[in-house]
Amino acid sequence: MSTAIAEPAAPEPQSNYLTNGYSLWSWLTTTDHKRIAILYGVTITAFFFIGGAAATLMRLELVSPTPILMSAGTYNKLFTAHGVIMVWFFLIPSIPATLGNFLIPLMVGAKDVALPRVNLLSWYVFALGGCFVIVTLIAGGIDTGWTFYTPYSTRFSQTQVIYGLVGVFVTGFSSIMTGLNFIVTVHRLRAPGLTWFRLPLFVWAIYATSIILVLATPVLAMTLLLLAMQRVFGLGIFDATLGGDPVLFQHMFWFYSHPAVYIMVLPAMGVASEVITCFARKPVFGYRTMAYAIAAIAAFGFMVWGHHMFVAGQSLYASLVFSFLSYIVAIPSAIKVFNWTATLYKGSITFEAPMLYALGFVGLFLIGGLTGLYLASLGMDVDLSRTYFVVAHFHYIMVGGSVMAYFAGLHFWWPKITGKLYSESGSRLAAIVIFVGFNLTFFPQFILGIEGMPRRYFEYSPHFQFLNILSSAGASILAAGYVLPLIYLTWSALHGARAPDNPWGAKGLEWQTRSPPPVENFDAPPSIPERPYDYDPEAAEEARR
Amino acid sequence: MMQATEAILALPAAATPYADKVDGLFWALTGVCGFVTIGITLTIAYFCFRYRRGTPVNRKLPDLASGKRRSRRIETVWILVPLAFFFIFFGWGARLYYIYDDPPRNALAIYVTAKQWMWKVEHSNGRREINELHVPVDRPIKLVMTSQDVIHDFYVPAFREKRDVLPGRYTVLWFEPTLRGVYPLRCDEYCGTAHSLMTGTVYVMSEGDYGRWLASGSEEPTLARLGFDRFRELGCSGCHGPSSTLHAPSLAGLYGRMVPLADGTFVRFDEAYIRDKILQPAKQIPAGYANDMPSFQGRVSQQDILELTAFLRSLANTSPDVPQGNHLP
């Protein structure tokens, strides 16, 4: 954090949102969006490490083609727990509910979100859903996979499917409340003069995400409800023996779950846009195109769910349409990658930890996106679907993409959120370790898929072992990489040096207030810049001399 | 080291012409995507190096208006160029899917029933096998598949093909192996505890070997012969038989043809339609007939339907007046 030293020292401690009450009660009854963001942050961090532990155990088991640590049943429960926890209890709330909650009011120059009490309620609902999942784990877990495909989940699984369903069902309402809150906040609480095209792309991304949350999550709720009614009461919607159709479940499930991928990725794109422009000291390339691309992804993302069913007995013509639309949705994603790259051109680039994470995000998202082109192509998908190629593809998007971006955002706004600085070398090292560990874990899985290893295989053919060992070795590096931030960020929160208000010289409204911000967010009304990302690389060079 | 290289690069053999075509698409995709990945990564690396803070390079940005014009032009290029490639990959993949989705009429039908956790295979002469599939080389094979419990998926990497196997429904997977050999078969839809053990072997053998293998099994009546017995036992022949006085269609010669329906549409008389008519006869009434067939839901097993279908299949090339069953061995 070389720039930090040059800045004037931060003023003496003043009252801020963190000093506004120290008791547990003051935290559990807060309606301050900044504190709720931290409640979310702590909760999802716990779930991240539970889900990560499940993944670690799976990778340990997969070192050998035959059982070494556990039974097939345990393995199946582990990948289900990993999927359910990582998707619904980490990735979906990750950027929106933590960084989004903290930043959206600051970025639009508001005192809080539009519905502060609903905001707190959404965290309680989230925590309640999380409790059901913990109870599910204690009661023995679920073995359906996070996709809950019928009729396995309704008539054949002997595990605690209903508890898990209730957990996911309940958590959905927290998503809806959070989404609704952000939509109203962005519409109603923007500071005077802050027009739509002056908003940071992060706000655009969270806004688009919120629309998806509000429109798609109810479909998930309906689907899970029908599933539960079939399992408990024998309702026949998805039951072929009663005239229902198990593939209908897949359609309904993916009608939510494919847009859910964009719930995880759009906020990541928002973070990357903030961080890359800041550390390149240059306005983002093609701001309007970037904003329209976000909207296009959110809209087209609703029309591609059928690409999960190319081999499931879906009609030829449905498959053709879904394949075509899947290519169309790739266009705005491609634009974003090109524009981030172009943003670096003629910049004045520095490489602090947030930038390293953001650059890692672009590279990994690029590979994740390009391998999506294989799966969107009908003939290719018939070979590759449900193999490890798919596993690698979506981990490049969700871990390489979303988690890297979450870390980029966490490191970028950490000084603002906590008012503390963290270890510069430790954070850069962690970014590199995570990048290397990630690629070593998941790149071999592309090859495993091409060679024909199906996903969710507990035992496998011995000639897949070498690549599986590589992948597991990578996973151990990745796990170590994820523990590093836990250590130095915790240390920073407790003993870190005081952060200045704007350690990166960044341009968003959130950097105009103190670090950490006061309860009311701004001591004086923030000044609204005429255009967002008003960085100047030449001035940045001058300032350095 | 040699072993390690082999462990990484041992792609499955391509045993059908279709698999070769899929590999063509695969390499095209890999070529383009590899080029783009390397190109963008190098561009980012170059920009990061050249424009790192402190390097004496020109950083002057164009003024707002001309910058906008220029970025519009550049963006148009990088929307249209990827779009062109996407159209190619979409069309290429769609062409393969047309082949995959359209089994040739003359394909040899083999029946597959999946259950937790095994593959049961029945050949037309009644020869059965479990977790193994013997097929002749150079001949189109059509697997007619259904599941007794959950969803499974029949995946043969060497054929670059898979298809879900669903309960209550028939799905078809076809291939024409041209390379004799032994290939792994894997279940590729998660189906419960022993999912990863639901594997098997496909043997592609010469026509002669296949004939000998087919004949070598224990003497069992053919599926069609069993189906003929079911046809009488279940009372189907009472209405559909040649001597029936009831107004029900003769089923001889119908298999594989398009049947006109009362609502003016057409449906192919195939496995799926036969199954539907047995279980839900009120659906898709043929033109000129009344809705008076009873449902056999609950009275027929999966196996019965399989046998009845095989019997009706065997009638494909008979004329409606041929006494039914007489053509069977």
Side-chain angles (χ1 to χ4, degrees):
Chain A
M1 241 170 265
S2 49
T3 50
I5 301 155
E7 299 236 343
E12 281 307 293
Q14 297 167 0
S15 108
N16 61 54
Y17 82 99
L18 289 172
T19 60
N20 182 32
Y22 295 94
S23 66
L24 185 63
W25 185 246
S26 75
W27 279 90
L28 293 179
T29 57
T30 181
T31 54
D32 185 334
H33 65 102
K34 301 182 286 302
R35 286 189 161 214
I36 295 170
I38 289 179
L39 291 178
Y40 264 112
V42 171
T43 324
I44 66 166
T45 303
F47 277 115
F48 179 74
F49 282 97
I50 297 173
T56 309
L57 289 173
M58 282 154 62
R59 280 310 333 162
L60 275 176
E61 170 60 47
L62 289 175
V63 165
S64 160
T66 49
I68 44 173
L69 289 177
M70 58 186 79
S71 68
T74 308
Y75 179 83
N76 296 345
K77 287 173 182 173
L78 280 175
F79 71 65
T80 305
H82 172 71
V84 167
I85 289 173
M86 287 306 203
V87 169
W88 282 297
F89 295 90
F90 177 72
L91 282 167
I92 286 181
S94 62
I95 297 175
T98 56
L99 298 175
N101 238 330
F102 195 95
L103 294 165
I104 291 294
L106 285 164
M107 284 179 165
V108 302
K111 286 182 183 167
D112 205 318
V113 292
L115 311 160
R117 277 174 296 186
V118 172
N119 201 17
L120 180 64
L121 178 63
S122 88
W123 178 74
Y124 275 102
V125 170
F126 176 71
L128 181 68
C131 289
F132 274 101
V133 167
I134 300 293
V135 167
T136 312
L137 290 180
I138 294 168
I142 318 179
D143 71 344
T144 61
W146 78 278
T147 47
F148 299 116
Y149 272 17
T150 55
Y152 185 72
S153 59
T154 51
R155 291 210 292 147
F156 294 89
S157 174
Q158 304 293 320
T159 55
Q160 309 299 333
V161 178
I162 294 295
Y163 290 144
L165 288 182
V166 172
V168 176
F169 179 83
V170 168
T171 300
F173 289 93
S174 132
S175 292
I176 295 171
M177 281 187 265
T178 303
L180 198 63
N181 226 332
F182 290 153
I183 292 172
V184 181
T185 305
V186 174
H187 273 281
R188 306 294 302 164
L189 298 187
R190 276 174 289 130
L194 191 57
T195 57
W196 282 88
F197 287 106
R198 288 177 180 177
L199 288 174
L201 291 170
F202 181 79
V203 176
W204 273 89
I206 294 288
Y207 179 79
T209 305
S210 302
I211 302 262
I212 304 176
L213 283 170
V214 170
L215 291 182
T217 317
V219 180
L220 175 71
M222 292 175 220
T223 313
L224 297 182
L225 202 62
L226 289 173
L227 184 63
M229 286 169 78
Q230 180 163 330
R231 187 172 166 94
V232 178
F233 304 115
L235 187 79
I237 306 274
F238 307 128
D239 190 339
T241 59
L242 297 172
D245 183 0
V247 181
L248 177 64
F249 173 82
Q250 299 178 19
H251 279 281
M252 294 180 68
F253 180 82
W254 289 111
F255 184 85
Y256 164 81
S257 292
H258 197 80
V261 174
Y262 299 106
I263 295 175
M264 305 176 211
V265 161
L266 283 171
M269 294 171 157
V271 169
S273 301
E274 300 301 311
V275 173
I276 289 172
T277 49
C278 175
F279 292 92
R281 321 292 320 159
K282 216 185 128 216
V284 71
F285 185 89
Y287 168 82
R288 277 191 184 236
T289 318
M290 292 293 261
Y292 290 138
I294 287 170
I297 291 171
F300 283 106
F302 270 105
M303 294 185 270
V304 299
W305 78 88
H307 67 211
H308 295 269
M309 274 91 73
F310 287 161
V311 297
Q314 174 176 262
S315 92
L316 170 71
Y317 299 103
S319 293
L320 285 173
V321 171
F322 283 124
S323 167
F324 184 77
L325 290 170
S326 302
Y327 277 108
I328 296 300
V329 80
I331 290 286
S333 304
I335 294 171
K336 296 196 80 81
V337 170
F338 294 139
N339 283 21
W340 288 319
T341 306
T343 301
L344 298 172
Y345 175 68
K346 288 193 172 180
S348 166
I349 308 170
T350 55
F351 300 96
E352 287 86 349
M355 184 61 160
L356 294 183
Y357 280 112
L359 290 173
F361 160 83
V362 175
L364 300 180
F365 177 77
L366 173 69
I367 295 174
L370 287 169
T371 49
L373 301 181
Y374 289 66
L375 299 170
S377 181
L378 288 160
M380 201 67 241
D381 183 72
V382 167
D383 180 29
L384 294 176
S385 70
R386 315 225 191 86
T387 64
Y388 260 88
F389 190 91
V390 174
V391 177
H393 157 70
F394 73 72
H395 279 88
Y396 264 83
I397 297 284
M398 294 180 188
V399 184
S402 304
V403 179
M404 281 301 256
Y406 174 65
F407 276 53
L410 195 62
H411 286 80
F412 186 50
W413 284 293
W414 183 266
K416 178 57 62 186
I417 295 171
T418 62
K420 301 285 180 63
L421 298 174
Y422 49 79
S423 158
E424 193 181 331
S425 50
S427 56
R428 287 181 176 176
L429 176 71
I432 292 164
V433 170
I434 289 173
F435 184 81
V436 171
F438 176 85
N439 280 301
L440 188 55
T441 308
F442 291 104
F443 201 83
Q445 297 186 6
F446 281 126
I447 305 170
L448 281 171
I450 293 162
E451 293 187 0
M453 179 166 166
R455 66 191 289 199
R456 297 173 171 176
Y457 260 32
F458 170 62
E459 296 184 41
Y460 55 84
S461 167
H463 73 274
F464 295 135
Q465 186 172 16
F466 180 77
L467 288 163
N468 269 295
I469 290 176
L470 272 189
S471 179
S472 294
S476 61
I477 297 174
L478 188 59
Y482 284 140
V483 172
L484 284 177
L486 188 70
I487 297 170
Y488 65 74
L489 288 181
T490 308
W491 191 88
S492 153
L494 299 175
H495 312 290
R498 287 184 48 75
D501 291 346
N502 189 359
W504 319 114
K507 297 287 184 184
L509 297 194
E510 74 272 26
W511 300 105
Q512 292 186 21
T513 187
R514 287 187 270 126
S515 295
V519 176
E520 304 279 293
N521 285 351
F522 296 95
D523 293 323
S527 66
I528 311 296
E530 239 175 73
R531 58 193 201 115
Y533 309 114
D534 202 10
Y535 294 105
D536 184 349
E538 284 191 304
E541 289 292 316
E542 283 303 316
R544 182 181 165 272
R545 287 193 194 107
Chain B
M1 194 59 219
M2 190 60 204
Q3 243 177 346
T5 328
E6 262 176 32
I8 295 173
L9 296 175
L11 294 177
T16 62
Y18 174 82
D20 283 326
K21 290 185 179 135
V22 174
D23 285 355
L25 173 57
F26 173 79
W27 289 117
L29 276 162
T30 304
V32 171
C33 293
F35 177 79
V36 173
T37 308
I38 292 168
I40 294 196
T41 309
L42 288 182
T43 309
I44 291 177
Y46 173 71
F47 285 167
C48 282
F49 178 74
R50 183 173 166 87
Y51 298 108
R52 69 190 188 281
R53 181 163 300 171
T55 48
V57 289
N58 170 24
R59 290 188 168 84
K60 182 132 190 65
L61 301 179
D63 65 276
L64 220 53
S66 73
K68 236 175 212 167
R69 272 199 308 280
R70 214 177 68 176
S71 69
R72 286 273 153 75
R73 276 204 304 276
I74 297 174
E75 281 171 342
T76 312
V77 171
W78 65 47
I79 290 171
L80 293 182
V81 173
L83 199 61
F85 277 100
F86 289 180
F87 279 134
I88 293 172
F89 290 135
F90 164 72
W92 197 334
R95 225 186 57 193
L96 292 174
Y97 197 71
Y98 266 106
I99 303 173
Y100 160 80
D101 210 50
D102 187 24
R105 281 294 120 69
N106 62 346
L108 172 68
I110 297 174
Y111 295 86
V112 174
T113 307
K115 57 174 289 198
Q116 287 177 323
W117 289 277
M118 61 166 78
W119 299 100
K120 297 199 294 185
V121 178
E122 299 205 32
H123 295 260
S124 49
N125 75 340
R127 178 90 153 93
R128 292 170 200 186
E129 48 186 334
I130 287 179
N131 291 344
E132 291 191 341
L133 171 66
H134 289 77
V135 292
V137 72
D138 292 329
R139 205 168 142 192
I141 314 288
K142 163 177 142 176
L143 303 181
V144 180
M145 309 184 292
T146 190
S147 164
Q148 288 186 352
D149 38 47
V150 302
I151 301 174
H152 302 275
D153 183 287
F154 195 100
Y155 175 36
V156 183
F159 300 162
R160 308 287 190 273
E161 273 186 289
K162 63 171 64 84
R163 180 74 94 173
D164 280 8
V165 182
L166 301 157
R169 198 176 143 182
Y170 285 105
T171 52
V172 170
L173 181 71
W174 85 273
F175 44 84
E176 185 171 357
T178 48
L179 199 63
R180 269 178 283 171
V182 181
Y183 308 107
L185 148 71
R186 302 190 176 104
C187 179
D188 199 9
E189 176 58 67
Y190 175 66
C191 60
T193 314
H195 168 52
S196 68
L197 299 178
M198 195 168 156
T199 55
T201 313
V202 180
Y203 298 90
V204 176
M205 49 214 309
S206 72
E207 189 78 46
D209 285 347
Y210 176 69
R212 273 187 290 284
W213 175 85
L214 212 53
S216 71
S218 54
E219 281 299 312
E220 284 181 73
T222 66
L223 270 183
R225 165 59 69 182
L226 290 168
F228 178 55
D229 295 343
R230 293 293 96 74
F231 198 69
R232 283 183 306 183
E233 290 161 18
L234 290 162
C236 313
S237 55
C239 302
H240 293 285
S243 54
S244 168
T245 52
L246 279 162
H247 187 53
S250 161
L251 302 179
L254 274 186
Y255 185 88
R257 302 228 316 255
M258 298 301 282
V259 179
L261 297 181
D263 62 5
T265 60
F266 286 82
V267 67
R268 189 173 298 286
F269 192 88
D270 60 5
E271 288 84 3
Y273 184 63
I274 293 169
R275 181 192 174 84
D276 278 356
K277 286 310 285 182
I278 294 172
L279 299 176
Q280 294 164 293
K283 274 170 60 181
Q284 299 184 305
I285 306 291
Y289 292 93
N291 173 22
D292 44 15
M293 175 167 165
S295 167
F296 286 78
Q297 180 92 49
R299 289 173 58 197
V300 290
S301 67
Q302 198 68 41
Q303 185 65 26
D304 293 335
I305 298 178
L306 210 65
E307 291 166 1
L308 284 167
T309 309
F311 169 59
L312 296 179
R313 232 185 115 75
S314 75
L315 295 177
N317 297 318
T318 57
S319 86
D321 358 289
V322 172
Q324 295 179 20
N326 291 2
H327 68 291
L328 293 171

